[in-house]
Amino acid sequence: MADYSSCSTENRNLFTPCAACKFLRRRCLEDCLLKPYFPPNEPMKFIVAHKIFGASNIIKLLQELPATQRADAVNSLVYEANARMRDPIYGSAGVISHLHDQMTKLQAQVALAQAQISNLQSQNANLMTLIPKQQSLSDHHYPFQDSTPLSYDDNTDIWHLGETTWESFWS
């Protein structure tokens, strides 16, 4: 028989029952060991932990721990219980293994992306060495610069480049 002494009926001063006492159909007293960790508005928290570990084991564990570590212990129990519900074989170890595999794959993708970036940067540097330095426009020689005169006729609003003529765009 499980020991539920943390929820004894000696003191008749009743409060709102915690989720654990409500589920176990016990009177929840002011000094209930489970009340701070299983509030009445979170019944599934206790139900899952109870299904995997049992109420008596949860109470024994909490009694053995200092009060400062109990909240963390309950959070760990509930997390492990939820993991065991999803994966009865591996529990949270299965989750950790899955996350580790994801991390390994993502690290490989990051390494590949960094290698591609490095490759593109080196290709860019190689292309920049192949492109000659840009010359100023005054140094550049255009084929018609010396031989073909460019003129503008104000009367007809026409540009003349050698024997070729263009009408002005502003007419």
Side-chain angles (χ1 to χ4, degrees):
M1 176 96 183
D3 176 25
Y4 299 111
S5 61
S6 66
C7 299
S8 66
T9 58
E10 294 172 33
N11 187 349
R12 297 287 176 190
N13 190 5
L14 299 177
F15 290 88
T16 304
C18 67
C21 292
K22 193 172 188 177
F23 181 78
L24 298 171
R25 298 181 184 185
R26 304 274 182 187
R27 289 190 191 268
C28 189
L29 303 174
E30 184 178 357
D31 61 344
C32 175
L33 180 64
L34 301 174
K35 189 171 186 167
Y37 313 110
F38 298 105
N41 60 345
E42 297 179 15
M44 288 306 295
K45 189 174 177 181
F46 177 75
I47 292 170
V48 170
H50 170 65
K51 184 172 184 170
I52 301 298
F53 299 107
S56 61
N57 288 329
I58 294 171
I59 291 169
K60 285 178 193 174
L61 177 74
L62 292 177
Q63 286 173 339
E64 293 174 3
L65 289 174
T68 57
Q69 295 178 351
R70 290 179 182 168
D72 290 335
V74 168
N75 288 335
S76 296
L77 285 172
V78 171
Y79 182 83
E80 180 63 29
N82 281 319
R84 289 276 172 194
M85 295 291 282
R86 281 184 258 117
D87 185 357
I89 305 296
Y90 296 109
S92 62
V95 173
I96 292 169
S97 176
H98 176 72
L99 291 174
H100 184 267
D101 291 344
Q102 277 186 324
M103 186 180 68
T104 303
K105 289 176 185 175
L106 290 173
Q107 285 174 335
Q109 288 177 354
V110 167
L112 178 65
Q114 288 174 334
Q116 289 174 339
I117 289 171
S118 176
N119 187 20
L120 290 173
Q121 286 174 338
S122 67
Q123 286 178 2
N124 188 29
N126 289 339
L127 285 175
M128 295 308 281
T129 60
L130 295 175
I131 297 173
K133 301 284 185 214
Q134 188 177 22
Q135 297 176 354
S136 69
L137 292 176
S138 63
D139 294 344
H140 195 287
H141 178 73
Y142 296 101
F144 60 84
Q145 188 173 6
D146 296 328
S147 60
T148 311
L150 179 64
S151 62
Y152 177 73
D153 187 353
D154 288 327
N155 297 332
T156 59
D157 201 26
I158 295 178
W159 284 93
H160 299 281
L161 178 61
E163 295 184 16
T164 308
T165 59
W166 291 284
E167 292 186 29
S168 174
F169 292 112
W170 298 279
S171 56

